[in-house]
Amino acid sequence: MRELTAEQVGALAAALDLPVTPEDVTEVTHRLNALIEALAPLAGLPLERVEPVPGFGDPSPS
Amino acid sequence: MSADRADVAFLGVRRLAALVRERKASPVEITRVFLERIERLDARLRAYITVLPDAALAAASRAETAVMRGETLGPLHGVPYAVKDQFDTAGVRTTSGSRILENHVPAEDATTISRLNAAGGVLLGKLNLTEFALGGTQQFPFGQPRNPWNLDHDPGGSSSGSGIAVAAGLCAASLGEDTGGSVRSPASFCGVVGLRPTWSRVSRHGSFPLSWSMDTPGPLTRTVEDAACLLQAIAGYDARDPLSSRVPVPDYTRALAGGVRGLRIGIIRELTFGAETDGEVREAVVEAARRLEQLGAVTEEISLRLVPLAGAIFMALADSDGAGVHYGWLRTRAADYDQGTRRRLLTASLIPAAIQQRAARARALLRAEMLDAFVRHDLLLCPTAHQAAPPIAAARGVITSRHEVAGRFFTRRSYVTPAALAGLPAIAVPCGFTRSGMPLSLQLIARHFDEATLLRAAHAYEQQCDWWTRRPPEAS
């Protein structure tokens, strides 16, 4: 995924009706790009057949 | 009281309860000792948001009357405890560490509070935390919590006050909540025991939510035996939390005996020997593993390839859940959040669905990897944190690059979030001190609902050490 610009992040926040200051947008952009970058290695994992369920610990839930 | 007043605050739950039961100590006098210490020490430590002297003394007085009447006593009878201000308390404000809830007074107790009170506990007050149990608070609305081993250092979070209060003798035990390390991290930094039970083992009812599939209440105590005692009181199905487990609750205290002979323990290579792990931490944890071997456990290094990614996976998932919880207030009361909390929640609100979905699938894979490790091992072992408590100033200030984000948020979370993502029980146990006198912590992880083995091994290790007997300089 491409790195997001502050303008794009501001537009995304506006689309969600989230009020953000210019200072917020700058830092949120760093945070969001860092998270996307940190998760990039997941693209190399065999995830296609893995169901995205949390996995419950309880062997007999009822 | 047979014990010296100064020592009462450090006796712990089991010993205080025994003194009360044997009529060698008065619950009222014990409670006064803790209230006096809070009055004297907490202006510096800021463990508490709300102290309840009148209610605590009234509860202690009732406990004393019950003793004198020869009534049946609970395991915490007359023992003063405190709770993270994330848990609802009837008629007592519950802030979740935020200005947004500074006047919030719940009508009823959280299930965990009801159970601790029913066990005879005396509630001293509500403990400080990072705002809404998220990490990264820049300005704490109710005062900066400080580490009793060095006031300039971070006490850990999010259950910051829960760790400080136990370490500094401001309560006999405390309750925290661990979504992604929020019990174990402050336990690690403050040098106490912190237990994250299996997800669903303890009711979440009445605890302000962050992530429904990871939120887990758990005790912080001076000893493993005390952690077993508190878990016994709070564990078990609760109709008010439909996801709480009906799996029978064993006798955790009885399970402490037996030692570790024959237990197979896997030392997680990536977290113990990885480049991110501080040398003093590695040394202490390797020494702890050696002690467990001497006690009869069989240890071997194992590789769990996905655990270094756990911190980022956790933030993509738990923070997304949190963003959902907070969406309304983010739109209407954004300025009332601490800057660090607001920016973290805003970030989570904007995570693309494709990324979030990929993280959810990776979580399932990580969980499978960890469960596979339990085919050949009874316990997993690693540090609780990659370093001892850092200076408070290290996590302060505006983030100016994405590289800074990784250092501040992802690395340290990779040590505590694997158990959270997999729903497994884990315990943080003191295992030494740095040369500069800050506590170090060993983490053990067990199979789902096998807290008994977890506590047994932690107890066996603890009995071989004296780390837990030491008191921080800011506690005298």
Side-chain angles (χ1 to χ4, degrees), chain A residues 19-57:
Chain A
V20 285
T21 65
E23 295 78 18
D24 282 344
V25 170
T26 303
E27 187 171 316
V28 169
T29 303
H30 291 316
R31 285 174 180 255
L32 197 51
N33 281 324
L35 185 63
I36 291 168
E37 183 179 80
L39 293 171
L42 302 187
L45 296 175
L47 298 174
E48 301 77 21
R49 293 182 192 170
V50 180
E51 286 191 300
V53 292
F56 299 100

PDB file of all heavy atoms in Angstrom, chain A residues 19-57:
ATOM      1  N   PRO A  19     -13.485  15.413  13.787  1.00  0.00           N
ATOM      2  CA  PRO A  19     -12.792  16.696  13.820  1.00  0.00           C
ATOM      3  C   PRO A  19     -11.310  16.514  14.142  1.00  0.00           C
ATOM      4  O   PRO A  19     -10.970  15.895  15.153  1.00  0.00           O
ATOM      5  CB  PRO A  19     -13.496  17.450  14.950  1.00  0.00           C
ATOM      6  CG  PRO A  19     -14.066  16.397  15.827  1.00  0.00           C
ATOM      7  CD  PRO A  19     -14.305  15.182  14.990  1.00  0.00           C
ATOM      8  N   VAL A  20     -10.441  16.999  13.290  1.00  0.00           N
ATOM      9  CA  VAL A  20      -8.995  16.879  13.533  1.00  0.00           C
ATOM     10  C   VAL A  20      -8.327  18.229  13.306  1.00  0.00           C
ATOM     11  O   VAL A  20      -8.662  18.941  12.357  1.00  0.00           O
ATOM     12  CB  VAL A  20      -8.327  15.825  12.626  1.00  0.00           C
ATOM     13  CG1 VAL A  20      -8.632  14.424  13.079  1.00  0.00           C
ATOM     14  CG2 VAL A  20      -8.726  16.015  11.182  1.00  0.00           C
ATOM     15  N   THR A  21      -7.398  18.545  14.184  1.00  0.00           N
ATOM     16  CA  THR A  21      -6.617  19.773  14.011  1.00  0.00           C
ATOM     17  C   THR A  21      -5.481  19.480  13.022  1.00  0.00           C
ATOM     18  O   THR A  21      -5.136  18.308  12.806  1.00  0.00           O
ATOM     19  CB  THR A  21      -5.995  20.210  15.344  1.00  0.00           C
ATOM     20  OG1 THR A  21      -5.052  19.203  15.746  1.00  0.00           O
ATOM     21  CG2 THR A  21      -7.061  20.388  16.427  1.00  0.00           C
ATOM     22  N   PRO A  22      -4.870  20.505  12.439  1.00  0.00           N
ATOM     23  CA  PRO A  22      -3.725  20.270  11.555  1.00  0.00           C
ATOM     24  C   PRO A  22      -2.600  19.515  12.273  1.00  0.00           C
ATOM     25  O   PRO A  22      -1.942  18.654  11.681  1.00  0.00           O
ATOM     26  CB  PRO A  22      -3.281  21.687  11.172  1.00  0.00           C
ATOM     27  CG  PRO A  22      -4.512  22.518  11.323  1.00  0.00           C
ATOM     28  CD  PRO A  22      -5.283  21.926  12.461  1.00  0.00           C
ATOM     29  N   GLU A  23      -2.405  19.807  13.575  1.00  0.00           N
ATOM     30  CA  GLU A  23      -1.360  19.100  14.337  1.00  0.00           C
ATOM     31  C   GLU A  23      -1.727  17.626  14.490  1.00  0.00           C
ATOM     32  O   GLU A  23      -0.873  16.744  14.399  1.00  0.00           O
ATOM     33  CB  GLU A  23      -1.168  19.743  15.722  1.00  0.00           C
ATOM     34  CG  GLU A  23      -0.631  21.160  15.700  1.00  0.00           C
ATOM     35  CD  GLU A  23      -1.702  22.187  15.353  1.00  0.00           C
ATOM     36  OE1 GLU A  23      -2.901  21.881  15.461  1.00  0.00           O
ATOM     37  OE2 GLU A  23      -1.317  23.306  14.929  1.00  0.00           O
ATOM     38  N   ASP A  24      -2.998  17.368  14.728  1.00  0.00           N
ATOM     39  CA  ASP A  24      -3.465  15.977  14.813  1.00  0.00           C
ATOM     40  C   ASP A  24      -3.174  15.252  13.499  1.00  0.00           C
ATOM     41  O   ASP A  24      -2.675  14.119  13.495  1.00  0.00           O
ATOM     42  CB  ASP A  24      -4.980  15.920  15.068  1.00  0.00           C
ATOM     43  CG  ASP A  24      -5.369  16.186  16.509  1.00  0.00           C
ATOM     44  OD1 ASP A  24      -4.495  16.128  17.389  1.00  0.00           O
ATOM     45  OD2 ASP A  24      -6.561  16.448  16.750  1.00  0.00           O
ATOM     46  N   VAL A  25      -3.510  15.901  12.390  1.00  0.00           N
ATOM     47  CA  VAL A  25      -3.367  15.242  11.082  1.00  0.00           C
ATOM     48  C   VAL A  25      -1.915  14.847  10.837  1.00  0.00           C
ATOM     49  O   VAL A  25      -1.627  13.739  10.369  1.00  0.00           O
ATOM     50  CB  VAL A  25      -3.880  16.160   9.945  1.00  0.00           C
ATOM     51  CG1 VAL A  25      -3.494  15.585   8.583  1.00  0.00           C
ATOM     52  CG2 VAL A  25      -5.386  16.301  10.026  1.00  0.00           C
ATOM     53  N   THR A  26      -0.987  15.727  11.173  1.00  0.00           N
ATOM     54  CA  THR A  26       0.433  15.428  10.958  1.00  0.00           C
ATOM     55  C   THR A  26       0.837  14.164  11.716  1.00  0.00           C
ATOM     56  O   THR A  26       1.447  13.247  11.147  1.00  0.00           O
ATOM     57  CB  THR A  26       1.307  16.615  11.429  1.00  0.00           C
ATOM     58  OG1 THR A  26       0.876  17.773  10.720  1.00  0.00           O
ATOM     59  CG2 THR A  26       2.777  16.364  11.172  1.00  0.00           C
ATOM     60  N   GLU A  27       0.493  14.116  13.003  1.00  0.00           N
ATOM     61  CA  GLU A  27       0.912  12.958  13.801  1.00  0.00           C
ATOM     62  C   GLU A  27       0.132  11.698  13.420  1.00  0.00           C
ATOM     63  O   GLU A  27       0.708  10.599  13.367  1.00  0.00           O
ATOM     64  CB  GLU A  27       0.744  13.249  15.301  1.00  0.00           C
ATOM     65  CG  GLU A  27       1.331  12.135  16.153  1.00  0.00           C
ATOM     66  CD  GLU A  27       1.380  12.455  17.633  1.00  0.00           C
ATOM     67  OE1 GLU A  27       1.765  13.587  17.991  1.00  0.00           O
ATOM     68  OE2 GLU A  27       1.033  11.561  18.425  1.00  0.00           O
ATOM     69  N   VAL A  28      -1.148  11.833  13.164  1.00  0.00           N
ATOM     70  CA  VAL A  28      -1.948  10.668  12.772  1.00  0.00           C
ATOM     71  C   VAL A  28      -1.408  10.071  11.468  1.00  0.00           C
ATOM     72  O   VAL A  28      -1.379   8.846  11.292  1.00  0.00           O
ATOM     73  CB  VAL A  28      -3.442  11.046  12.645  1.00  0.00           C
ATOM     74  CG1 VAL A  28      -4.247   9.926  11.976  1.00  0.00           C
ATOM     75  CG2 VAL A  28      -4.028  11.344  14.024  1.00  0.00           C
ATOM     76  N   THR A  29      -0.942  10.924  10.576  1.00  0.00           N
ATOM     77  CA  THR A  29      -0.357  10.436   9.317  1.00  0.00           C
ATOM     78  C   THR A  29       0.882   9.579   9.605  1.00  0.00           C
ATOM     79  O   THR A  29       1.042   8.489   9.042  1.00  0.00           O
ATOM     80  CB  THR A  29       0.013  11.613   8.398  1.00  0.00           C
ATOM     81  OG1 THR A  29      -1.161  12.398   8.164  1.00  0.00           O
ATOM     82  CG2 THR A  29       0.565  11.139   7.069  1.00  0.00           C
ATOM     83  N   HIS A  30       1.744  10.052  10.512  1.00  0.00           N
ATOM     84  CA  HIS A  30       2.931   9.252  10.893  1.00  0.00           C
ATOM     85  C   HIS A  30       2.503   7.917  11.501  1.00  0.00           C
ATOM     86  O   HIS A  30       3.055   6.863  11.186  1.00  0.00           O
ATOM     87  CB  HIS A  30       3.787  10.011  11.910  1.00  0.00           C
ATOM     88  CG  HIS A  30       4.478  11.213  11.361  1.00  0.00           C
ATOM     89  ND1 HIS A  30       5.120  11.217  10.154  1.00  0.00           N
ATOM     90  CD2 HIS A  30       4.634  12.466  11.879  1.00  0.00           C
ATOM     91  CE1 HIS A  30       5.638  12.419   9.935  1.00  0.00           C
ATOM     92  NE2 HIS A  30       5.363  13.189  10.969  1.00  0.00           N
ATOM     93  N   ARG A  31       1.527   7.988  12.375  1.00  0.00           N
ATOM     94  CA  ARG A  31       1.083   6.768  13.068  1.00  0.00           C
ATOM     95  C   ARG A  31       0.489   5.764  12.083  1.00  0.00           C
ATOM     96  O   ARG A  31       0.782   4.569  12.142  1.00  0.00           O
ATOM     97  CB  ARG A  31       0.032   7.124  14.131  1.00  0.00           C
ATOM     98  CG  ARG A  31       0.592   7.791  15.390  1.00  0.00           C
ATOM     99  CD  ARG A  31      -0.558   8.234  16.287  1.00  0.00           C
ATOM    100  NE  ARG A  31      -0.126   8.873  17.522  1.00  0.00           N
ATOM    101  CZ  ARG A  31      -0.162   8.300  18.723  1.00  0.00           C
ATOM    102  NH1 ARG A  31      -0.629   7.079  18.865  1.00  0.00           N
ATOM    103  NH2 ARG A  31       0.232   8.949  19.802  1.00  0.00           N
ATOM    104  N   LEU A  32      -0.352   6.260  11.192  1.00  0.00           N
ATOM    105  CA  LEU A  32      -1.024   5.363  10.252  1.00  0.00           C
ATOM    106  C   LEU A  32      -0.027   4.747   9.274  1.00  0.00           C
ATOM    107  O   LEU A  32      -0.064   3.532   9.015  1.00  0.00           O
ATOM    108  CB  LEU A  32      -2.108   6.148   9.501  1.00  0.00           C
ATOM    109  CG  LEU A  32      -3.190   5.354   8.774  1.00  0.00           C
ATOM    110  CD1 LEU A  32      -3.840   4.310   9.681  1.00  0.00           C
ATOM    111  CD2 LEU A  32      -4.264   6.299   8.234  1.00  0.00           C
ATOM    112  N   ASN A  33       0.890   5.556   8.770  1.00  0.00           N
ATOM    113  CA  ASN A  33       1.906   5.017   7.846  1.00  0.00           C
ATOM    114  C   ASN A  33       2.806   4.004   8.556  1.00  0.00           C
ATOM    115  O   ASN A  33       3.201   2.998   7.966  1.00  0.00           O
ATOM    116  CB  ASN A  33       2.734   6.155   7.246  1.00  0.00           C
ATOM    117  CG  ASN A  33       1.992   6.861   6.122  1.00  0.00           C
ATOM    118  OD1 ASN A  33       1.266   6.233   5.360  1.00  0.00           O
ATOM    119  ND2 ASN A  33       2.166   8.172   6.014  1.00  0.00           N
ATOM    120  N   ALA A  34       3.115   4.273   9.830  1.00  0.00           N
ATOM    121  CA  ALA A  34       3.951   3.331  10.589  1.00  0.00           C
ATOM    122  C   ALA A  34       3.240   1.996  10.767  1.00  0.00           C
ATOM    123  O   ALA A  34       3.849   0.927  10.632  1.00  0.00           O
ATOM    124  CB  ALA A  34       4.295   3.924  11.952  1.00  0.00           C
ATOM    125  N   LEU A  35       1.952   2.043  11.063  1.00  0.00           N
ATOM    126  CA  LEU A  35       1.195   0.810  11.266  1.00  0.00           C
ATOM    127  C   LEU A  35       1.103   0.007   9.964  1.00  0.00           C
ATOM    128  O   LEU A  35       1.329  -1.213   9.954  1.00  0.00           O
ATOM    129  CB  LEU A  35      -0.208   1.128  11.791  1.00  0.00           C
ATOM    130  CG  LEU A  35      -1.072  -0.082  12.157  1.00  0.00           C
ATOM    131  CD1 LEU A  35      -0.440  -0.885  13.298  1.00  0.00           C
ATOM    132  CD2 LEU A  35      -2.476   0.350  12.560  1.00  0.00           C
ATOM    133  N   ILE A  36       0.817   0.707   8.889  1.00  0.00           N
ATOM    134  CA  ILE A  36       0.713   0.014   7.594  1.00  0.00           C
ATOM    135  C   ILE A  36       2.062  -0.601   7.212  1.00  0.00           C
ATOM    136  O   ILE A  36       2.129  -1.742   6.738  1.00  0.00           O
ATOM    137  CB  ILE A  36       0.206   1.004   6.513  1.00  0.00           C
ATOM    138  CG1 ILE A  36      -1.266   1.351   6.801  1.00  0.00           C
ATOM    139  CG2 ILE A  36       0.356   0.427   5.119  1.00  0.00           C
ATOM    140  CD1 ILE A  36      -1.806   2.521   6.008  1.00  0.00           C
ATOM    141  N   GLU A  37       3.124   0.130   7.479  1.00  0.00           N
ATOM    142  CA  GLU A  37       4.465  -0.388   7.177  1.00  0.00           C
ATOM    143  C   GLU A  37       4.784  -1.608   8.053  1.00  0.00           C
ATOM    144  O   GLU A  37       5.323  -2.615   7.563  1.00  0.00           O
ATOM    145  CB  GLU A  37       5.504   0.707   7.416  1.00  0.00           C
ATOM    146  CG  GLU A  37       6.924   0.303   7.075  1.00  0.00           C
ATOM    147  CD  GLU A  37       7.903   1.457   7.314  1.00  0.00           C
ATOM    148  OE1 GLU A  37       8.300   1.683   8.469  1.00  0.00           O
ATOM    149  OE2 GLU A  37       8.268   2.122   6.335  1.00  0.00           O
ATOM    150  N   ALA A  38       4.433  -1.517   9.342  1.00  0.00           N
ATOM    151  CA  ALA A  38       4.731  -2.635  10.258  1.00  0.00           C
ATOM    152  C   ALA A  38       3.957  -3.893   9.886  1.00  0.00           C
ATOM    153  O   ALA A  38       4.405  -5.007  10.163  1.00  0.00           O
ATOM    154  CB  ALA A  38       4.401  -2.224  11.694  1.00  0.00           C
ATOM    155  N   LEU A  39       2.799  -3.706   9.277  1.00  0.00           N
ATOM    156  CA  LEU A  39       1.975  -4.859   8.913  1.00  0.00           C
ATOM    157  C   LEU A  39       2.264  -5.364   7.504  1.00  0.00           C
ATOM    158  O   LEU A  39       1.712  -6.389   7.083  1.00  0.00           O
ATOM    159  CB  LEU A  39       0.489  -4.503   9.050  1.00  0.00           C
ATOM    160  CG  LEU A  39       0.020  -4.251  10.489  1.00  0.00           C
ATOM    161  CD1 LEU A  39      -1.394  -3.695  10.506  1.00  0.00           C
ATOM    162  CD2 LEU A  39       0.089  -5.534  11.320  1.00  0.00           C
ATOM    163  N   ALA A  40       3.132  -4.689   6.785  1.00  0.00           N
ATOM    164  CA  ALA A  40       3.444  -5.105   5.408  1.00  0.00           C
ATOM    165  C   ALA A  40       3.938  -6.549   5.315  1.00  0.00           C
ATOM    166  O   ALA A  40       3.560  -7.268   4.378  1.00  0.00           O
ATOM    167  CB  ALA A  40       4.461  -4.142   4.797  1.00  0.00           C
ATOM    168  N   PRO A  41       4.758  -7.034   6.283  1.00  0.00           N
ATOM    169  CA  PRO A  41       5.210  -8.433   6.190  1.00  0.00           C
ATOM    170  C   PRO A  41       4.075  -9.452   6.189  1.00  0.00           C
ATOM    171  O   PRO A  41       4.271 -10.599   5.764  1.00  0.00           O
ATOM    172  CB  PRO A  41       6.092  -8.605   7.440  1.00  0.00           C
ATOM    173  CG  PRO A  41       6.523  -7.239   7.805  1.00  0.00           C
ATOM    174  CD  PRO A  41       5.395  -6.338   7.415  1.00  0.00           C
ATOM    175  N   LEU A  42       2.893  -9.057   6.646  1.00  0.00           N
ATOM    176  CA  LEU A  42       1.769  -9.998   6.667  1.00  0.00           C
ATOM    177  C   LEU A  42       1.374 -10.414   5.250  1.00  0.00           C
ATOM    178  O   LEU A  42       0.807 -11.497   5.050  1.00  0.00           O
ATOM    179  CB  LEU A  42       0.545  -9.386   7.369  1.00  0.00           C
ATOM    180  CG  LEU A  42       0.724  -8.927   8.821  1.00  0.00           C
ATOM    181  CD1 LEU A  42      -0.624  -8.511   9.397  1.00  0.00           C
ATOM    182  CD2 LEU A  42       1.338 -10.020   9.677  1.00  0.00           C
ATOM    183  N   ALA A  43       1.685  -9.559   4.290  1.00  0.00           N
ATOM    184  CA  ALA A  43       1.329  -9.865   2.897  1.00  0.00           C
ATOM    185  C   ALA A  43       2.029 -11.136   2.422  1.00  0.00           C
ATOM    186  O   ALA A  43       1.553 -11.812   1.505  1.00  0.00           O
ATOM    187  CB  ALA A  43       1.685  -8.692   2.002  1.00  0.00           C
ATOM    188  N   GLY A  44       3.149 -11.468   3.046  1.00  0.00           N
ATOM    189  CA  GLY A  44       3.900 -12.654   2.642  1.00  0.00           C
ATOM    190  C   GLY A  44       3.458 -13.928   3.342  1.00  0.00           C
ATOM    191  O   GLY A  44       4.021 -15.006   3.102  1.00  0.00           O
ATOM    192  N   LEU A  45       2.469 -13.846   4.210  1.00  0.00           N
ATOM    193  CA  LEU A  45       2.016 -15.029   4.956  1.00  0.00           C
ATOM    194  C   LEU A  45       0.902 -15.753   4.202  1.00  0.00           C
ATOM    195  O   LEU A  45       0.140 -15.123   3.456  1.00  0.00           O
ATOM    196  CB  LEU A  45       1.501 -14.601   6.341  1.00  0.00           C
ATOM    197  CG  LEU A  45       2.518 -13.969   7.289  1.00  0.00           C
ATOM    198  CD1 LEU A  45       1.823 -13.493   8.561  1.00  0.00           C
ATOM    199  CD2 LEU A  45       3.619 -14.958   7.634  1.00  0.00           C
ATOM    200  N   PRO A  46       0.777 -17.057   4.416  1.00  0.00           N
ATOM    201  CA  PRO A  46      -0.296 -17.823   3.753  1.00  0.00           C
ATOM    202  C   PRO A  46      -1.641 -17.595   4.457  1.00  0.00           C
ATOM    203  O   PRO A  46      -2.121 -18.463   5.193  1.00  0.00           O
ATOM    204  CB  PRO A  46       0.190 -19.269   3.905  1.00  0.00           C
ATOM    205  CG  PRO A  46       0.997 -19.268   5.164  1.00  0.00           C
ATOM    206  CD  PRO A  46       1.640 -17.921   5.266  1.00  0.00           C
ATOM    207  N   LEU A  47      -2.248 -16.458   4.203  1.00  0.00           N
ATOM    208  CA  LEU A  47      -3.448 -16.083   4.950  1.00  0.00           C
ATOM    209  C   LEU A  47      -4.752 -16.404   4.216  1.00  0.00           C
ATOM    210  O   LEU A  47      -5.831 -16.283   4.800  1.00  0.00           O
ATOM    211  CB  LEU A  47      -3.417 -14.581   5.262  1.00  0.00           C
ATOM    212  CG  LEU A  47      -2.260 -14.094   6.142  1.00  0.00           C
ATOM    213  CD1 LEU A  47      -2.282 -12.576   6.254  1.00  0.00           C
ATOM    214  CD2 LEU A  47      -2.337 -14.720   7.532  1.00  0.00           C
ATOM    215  N   GLU A  48      -4.642 -16.807   2.946  1.00  0.00           N
ATOM    216  CA  GLU A  48      -5.861 -16.948   2.127  1.00  0.00           C
ATOM    217  C   GLU A  48      -6.874 -17.903   2.751  1.00  0.00           C
ATOM    218  O   GLU A  48      -8.081 -17.674   2.697  1.00  0.00           O
ATOM    219  CB  GLU A  48      -5.518 -17.442   0.713  1.00  0.00           C
ATOM    220  CG  GLU A  48      -4.566 -16.548  -0.074  1.00  0.00           C
ATOM    221  CD  GLU A  48      -3.114 -16.701   0.385  1.00  0.00           C
ATOM    222  OE1 GLU A  48      -2.794 -17.742   0.996  1.00  0.00           O
ATOM    223  OE2 GLU A  48      -2.309 -15.784   0.153  1.00  0.00           O
ATOM    224  N   ARG A  49      -6.387 -18.975   3.343  1.00  0.00           N
ATOM    225  CA  ARG A  49      -7.311 -19.988   3.858  1.00  0.00           C
ATOM    226  C   ARG A  49      -7.544 -19.853   5.369  1.00  0.00           C
ATOM    227  O   ARG A  49      -8.143 -20.726   5.983  1.00  0.00           O
ATOM    228  CB  ARG A  49      -6.783 -21.377   3.552  1.00  0.00           C
ATOM    229  CG  ARG A  49      -6.786 -21.683   2.052  1.00  0.00           C
ATOM    230  CD  ARG A  49      -6.301 -23.090   1.789  1.00  0.00           C
ATOM    231  NE  ARG A  49      -6.045 -23.274   0.365  1.00  0.00           N
ATOM    232  CZ  ARG A  49      -5.437 -24.322  -0.139  1.00  0.00           C
ATOM    233  NH1 ARG A  49      -5.005 -25.275   0.655  1.00  0.00           N
ATOM    234  NH2 ARG A  49      -5.228 -24.423  -1.433  1.00  0.00           N
ATOM    235  N   VAL A  50      -7.031 -18.771   5.935  1.00  0.00           N
ATOM    236  CA  VAL A  50      -7.199 -18.574   7.375  1.00  0.00           C
ATOM    237  C   VAL A  50      -8.431 -17.709   7.615  1.00  0.00           C
ATOM    238  O   VAL A  50      -8.567 -16.637   7.033  1.00  0.00           O
ATOM    239  CB  VAL A  50      -5.958 -17.867   7.974  1.00  0.00           C
ATOM    240  CG1 VAL A  50      -6.125 -17.671   9.473  1.00  0.00           C
ATOM    241  CG2 VAL A  50      -4.706 -18.668   7.669  1.00  0.00           C
ATOM    242  N   GLU A  51      -9.329 -18.196   8.449  1.00  0.00           N
ATOM    243  CA  GLU A  51     -10.509 -17.383   8.760  1.00  0.00           C
ATOM    244  C   GLU A  51     -10.151 -16.340   9.809  1.00  0.00           C
ATOM    245  O   GLU A  51      -9.459 -16.645  10.790  1.00  0.00           O
ATOM    246  CB  GLU A  51     -11.630 -18.275   9.275  1.00  0.00           C
ATOM    247  CG  GLU A  51     -12.272 -19.090   8.170  1.00  0.00           C
ATOM    248  CD  GLU A  51     -13.542 -19.764   8.641  1.00  0.00           C
ATOM    249  OE1 GLU A  51     -13.448 -20.559   9.598  1.00  0.00           O
ATOM    250  OE2 GLU A  51     -14.595 -19.509   8.064  1.00  0.00           O
ATOM    251  N   PRO A  52     -10.637 -15.103   9.630  1.00  0.00           N
ATOM    252  CA  PRO A  52     -10.252 -14.021  10.547  1.00  0.00           C
ATOM    253  C   PRO A  52     -11.061 -14.009  11.837  1.00  0.00           C
ATOM    254  O   PRO A  52     -11.643 -12.998  12.214  1.00  0.00           O
ATOM    255  CB  PRO A  52     -10.520 -12.770   9.706  1.00  0.00           C
ATOM    256  CG  PRO A  52     -11.655 -13.160   8.827  1.00  0.00           C
ATOM    257  CD  PRO A  52     -11.475 -14.617   8.525  1.00  0.00           C
ATOM    258  N   VAL A  53     -11.124 -15.138  12.532  1.00  0.00           N
ATOM    259  CA  VAL A  53     -11.884 -15.190  13.789  1.00  0.00           C
ATOM    260  C   VAL A  53     -10.912 -15.082  14.965  1.00  0.00           C
ATOM    261  O   VAL A  53      -9.788 -15.552  14.886  1.00  0.00           O
ATOM    262  CB  VAL A  53     -12.702 -16.496  13.913  1.00  0.00           C
ATOM    263  CG1 VAL A  53     -13.822 -16.522  12.886  1.00  0.00           C
ATOM    264  CG2 VAL A  53     -11.806 -17.710  13.754  1.00  0.00           C
ATOM    265  N   PRO A  54     -11.361 -14.450  16.047  1.00  0.00           N
ATOM    266  CA  PRO A  54     -10.457 -14.271  17.189  1.00  0.00           C
ATOM    267  C   PRO A  54     -10.021 -15.594  17.791  1.00  0.00           C
ATOM    268  O   PRO A  54      -8.930 -15.696  18.331  1.00  0.00           O
ATOM    269  CB  PRO A  54     -11.289 -13.473  18.190  1.00  0.00           C
ATOM    270  CG  PRO A  54     -12.417 -12.906  17.409  1.00  0.00           C
ATOM    271  CD  PRO A  54     -12.670 -13.836  16.264  1.00  0.00           C
ATOM    272  N   GLY A  55     -10.864 -16.627  17.707  1.00  0.00           N
ATOM    273  CA  GLY A  55     -10.498 -17.901  18.334  1.00  0.00           C
ATOM    274  C   GLY A  55     -10.813 -17.873  19.799  1.00  0.00           C
ATOM    275  O   GLY A  55     -10.128 -17.211  20.563  1.00  0.00           O
ATOM    276  N   PHE A  56     -11.851 -18.532  20.185  1.00  0.00           N
ATOM    277  CA  PHE A  56     -12.253 -18.503  21.582  1.00  0.00           C
ATOM    278  C   PHE A  56     -11.513 -19.567  22.371  1.00  0.00           C
ATOM    279  O   PHE A  56     -11.279 -20.666  21.888  1.00  0.00           O
ATOM    280  CB  PHE A  56     -13.767 -18.688  21.696  1.00  0.00           C
ATOM    281  CG  PHE A  56     -14.508 -17.589  21.008  1.00  0.00           C
ATOM    282  CD1 PHE A  56     -15.031 -17.766  19.746  1.00  0.00           C
ATOM    283  CD2 PHE A  56     -14.612 -16.347  21.612  1.00  0.00           C
ATOM    284  CE1 PHE A  56     -15.691 -16.730  19.107  1.00  0.00           C
ATOM    285  CE2 PHE A  56     -15.256 -15.307  20.976  1.00  0.00           C
ATOM    286  CZ  PHE A  56     -15.797 -15.496  19.711  1.00  0.00           C
ATOM    287  N   GLY A  57     -11.198 -19.230  23.602  1.00  0.00           N
ATOM    288  CA  GLY A  57     -10.430 -20.151  24.438  1.00  0.00           C
ATOM    289  C   GLY A  57     -11.274 -21.234  25.058  1.00  0.00           C
ATOM    290  O   GLY A  57     -10.777 -22.271  25.466  1.00  0.00           O
TER     291      GLY A  57
END
